[in-house]
Amino acid sequence: MSHFSNIKTQIRNLTSLKAALTDLGIDWKEGPTTVRGYQGQTRTAEIVIEQDNNHDIGFSWNGNEYELVADLQYWQQPLSVEGFLRKVTQRYAFHTVISESVKQGFQIAEQQKNEDGSIRLVVQRWSA
């Protein structure tokens, strides 16, 4: 029986996910590569975060979104699973908004981090 848990996310853009993890100072490896789990069990994922206890965290494409794949019993991160996903999702959303804005001809005019941890972005586009 597998010890791995798959946690659904709203993450669909691999480039924004990589940028989010990098922003958060998380060391990750690009796959497809192996996520190590309990008693030698493995899964394949596009992004793998190795942990010191040899039980990894991965982000695996399920055909619709990137799911977090991990043996939660061996979670070894400074934040809880929920806290980790909250931080990753916020940085992911930030990078996705910026990327899509630039594609549509906008530039970042202002960026502000609020006391509650939220981010305020102002984008602008000049027309001829």
Side-chain angles (χ1 to χ4, degrees):
M1 186 167 140
S2 177
H3 270 240
F4 284 105
S5 296
N6 291 11
I7 300 173
K8 291 194 177 299
T9 70
Q10 295 297 312
I11 296 173
R12 293 184 176 87
N13 181 296
L14 189 57
T15 302
S16 292
L17 173 58
K18 291 174 187 177
L21 293 171
T22 299
D23 281 359
L24 295 170
I26 297 169
D27 289 328
W28 53 273
K29 289 181 8 184
E30 188 166 3
T33 192
T34 302
V35 178
R36 301 169 297 171
Y38 178 72
Q39 291 188 337
Q41 294 177 357
T42 61
R43 286 283 188 73
T44 301
E46 284 69 30
I47 297 285
V48 173
I49 301 162
E50 293 180 339
Q51 298 189 115
D52 292 338
N53 64 6
N54 296 322
H55 295 79
D56 305 324
I57 300 166
F59 283 92
S60 181
W61 183 251
N62 69 8
N64 190 37
E65 65 201 3
Y66 287 94
E67 293 179 327
L68 182 122
V69 178
D71 185 338
L72 301 181
Q73 189 173 348
Y74 296 98
W75 185 262
Q76 194 180 43
Q77 296 295 308
L79 296 169
S80 66
V81 176
E82 295 79 13
F84 175 83
L85 277 175
R86 193 170 29 254
K87 286 228 181 250
V88 169
T89 301
Q90 181 189 41
R91 292 309 299 172
Y92 168 80
F94 172 84
H95 283 286
T96 301
V97 166
I98 288 178
S99 174
E100 291 302 314
S101 297
V102 168
K103 280 182 192 173
Q104 295 179 27
F106 288 89
Q107 294 179 325
I108 308 306
E110 187 181 329
Q111 176 181 332
Q112 172 186 333
K113 186 164 185 168
N114 298 321
E115 282 185 34
D116 66 358
S118 64
I119 299 169
R120 179 177 178 269
L121 281 175
V122 176
V123 297
Q124 64 185 14
R125 178 171 55 186
W126 301 101
S127 57

mmCIF file of all heavy atoms in Angstrom, residues 87 90 112-120:
data_model
loop_
_atom_site.group_PDB
_atom_site.id
_atom_site.type_symbol
_atom_site.label_atom_id
_atom_site.label_comp_id
_atom_site.label_asym_id
_atom_site.label_seq_id
_atom_site.Cartn_x
_atom_site.Cartn_y
_atom_site.Cartn_z
ATOM 1 N N LYS A 87 2.164 29.496 0.815
ATOM 2 C CA LYS A 87 3.282 30.340 0.361
ATOM 3 C C LYS A 87 3.611 30.084 -1.106
ATOM 4 O O LYS A 87 3.816 31.021 -1.879
ATOM 5 C CB LYS A 87 4.516 30.095 1.222
ATOM 6 C CG LYS A 87 4.419 30.695 2.593
ATOM 7 C CD LYS A 87 5.693 31.456 2.863
ATOM 8 C CE LYS A 87 5.652 32.055 4.236
ATOM 9 N NZ LYS A 87 5.542 33.494 4.213
ATOM 10 N N GLN A 90 0.870 31.534 -3.351
ATOM 11 C CA GLN A 90 0.909 32.993 -3.442
ATOM 12 C C GLN A 90 1.996 33.446 -4.421
ATOM 13 O O GLN A 90 1.762 34.288 -5.283
ATOM 14 C CB GLN A 90 1.148 33.643 -2.079
ATOM 15 C CG GLN A 90 1.153 35.170 -2.187
ATOM 16 C CD GLN A 90 1.600 35.867 -0.929
ATOM 17 O OE1 GLN A 90 2.546 35.439 -0.278
ATOM 18 N NE2 GLN A 90 0.918 36.947 -0.584
ATOM 19 N N GLN A 112 3.768 46.267 -3.939
ATOM 20 C CA GLN A 112 3.816 46.561 -2.506
ATOM 21 C C GLN A 112 3.411 45.320 -1.717
ATOM 22 O O GLN A 112 2.397 44.694 -2.010
ATOM 23 C CB GLN A 112 2.853 47.718 -2.212
ATOM 24 C CG GLN A 112 2.649 48.028 -0.761
ATOM 25 C CD GLN A 112 1.562 49.094 -0.582
ATOM 26 O OE1 GLN A 112 1.321 49.906 -1.457
ATOM 27 N NE2 GLN A 112 0.904 49.056 0.552
ATOM 28 N N LYS A 113 4.222 44.970 -0.728
ATOM 29 C CA LYS A 113 3.869 43.861 0.155
ATOM 30 C C LYS A 113 3.183 44.452 1.383
ATOM 31 O O LYS A 113 3.733 45.317 2.062
ATOM 32 C CB LYS A 113 5.107 43.069 0.560
ATOM 33 C CG LYS A 113 4.755 41.839 1.363
ATOM 34 C CD LYS A 113 5.883 40.862 1.453
ATOM 35 C CE LYS A 113 5.374 39.618 2.168
ATOM 36 N NZ LYS A 113 6.293 38.515 2.066
ATOM 37 N N ASN A 114 1.981 44.007 1.662
ATOM 38 C CA ASN A 114 1.196 44.535 2.778
ATOM 39 C C ASN A 114 1.524 43.807 4.082
ATOM 40 O O ASN A 114 2.095 42.717 4.065
ATOM 41 C CB ASN A 114 -0.296 44.415 2.455
ATOM 42 C CG ASN A 114 -0.665 45.228 1.229
ATOM 43 O OD1 ASN A 114 -0.177 46.331 1.025
ATOM 44 N ND2 ASN A 114 -1.526 44.670 0.393
ATOM 45 N N GLU A 115 1.154 44.409 5.189
ATOM 46 C CA GLU A 115 1.436 43.834 6.512
ATOM 47 C C GLU A 115 0.836 42.446 6.680
ATOM 48 O O GLU A 115 1.395 41.601 7.370
ATOM 49 C CB GLU A 115 0.916 44.752 7.621
ATOM 50 C CG GLU A 115 1.807 45.944 7.892
ATOM 51 C CD GLU A 115 1.335 46.765 9.082
ATOM 52 O OE1 GLU A 115 0.793 46.177 10.041
ATOM 53 O OE2 GLU A 115 1.518 47.994 9.037
ATOM 54 N N ASP A 116 -0.312 42.203 6.049
ATOM 55 C CA ASP A 116 -0.975 40.905 6.181
ATOM 56 C C ASP A 116 -0.361 39.836 5.276
ATOM 57 O O ASP A 116 -0.828 38.708 5.230
ATOM 58 C CB ASP A 116 -2.476 41.031 5.908
ATOM 59 C CG ASP A 116 -2.799 41.411 4.468
ATOM 60 O OD1 ASP A 116 -1.865 41.617 3.656
ATOM 61 O OD2 ASP A 116 -4.004 41.516 4.154
ATOM 62 N N GLY A 117 0.712 40.212 4.536
ATOM 63 C CA GLY A 117 1.381 39.252 3.667
ATOM 64 C C GLY A 117 0.880 39.280 2.232
ATOM 65 O O GLY A 117 1.482 38.666 1.353
ATOM 66 N N SER A 118 -0.212 39.984 1.981
ATOM 67 C CA SER A 118 -0.723 40.077 0.614
ATOM 68 C C SER A 118 0.179 41.003 -0.209
ATOM 69 O O SER A 118 0.963 41.779 0.339
ATOM 70 C CB SER A 118 -2.168 40.588 0.608
ATOM 71 O OG SER A 118 -2.231 41.909 1.125
ATOM 72 N N ILE A 119 0.052 40.900 -1.507
ATOM 73 C CA ILE A 119 0.870 41.706 -2.423
ATOM 74 C C ILE A 119 -0.069 42.539 -3.284
ATOM 75 O O ILE A 119 -1.036 42.023 -3.847
ATOM 76 C CB ILE A 119 1.741 40.803 -3.323
ATOM 77 C CG1 ILE A 119 2.689 39.966 -2.463
ATOM 78 C CG2 ILE A 119 2.522 41.639 -4.330
ATOM 79 C CD1 ILE A 119 3.394 38.873 -3.222
ATOM 80 N N ARG A 120 0.246 43.819 -3.388
ATOM 81 C CA ARG A 120 -0.529 44.727 -4.242
ATOM 82 C C ARG A 120 0.312 45.047 -5.473
ATOM 83 O O ARG A 120 1.453 45.494 -5.346
ATOM 84 C CB ARG A 120 -0.847 46.012 -3.489
ATOM 85 C CG ARG A 120 -1.624 47.006 -4.286
ATOM 86 C CD ARG A 120 -1.960 48.252 -3.424
ATOM 87 N NE ARG A 120 -2.661 49.221 -4.203
ATOM 88 C CZ ARG A 120 -2.067 50.210 -4.892
ATOM 89 N NH1 ARG A 120 -0.746 50.323 -4.875
ATOM 90 N NH2 ARG A 120 -2.777 51.064 -5.587
#
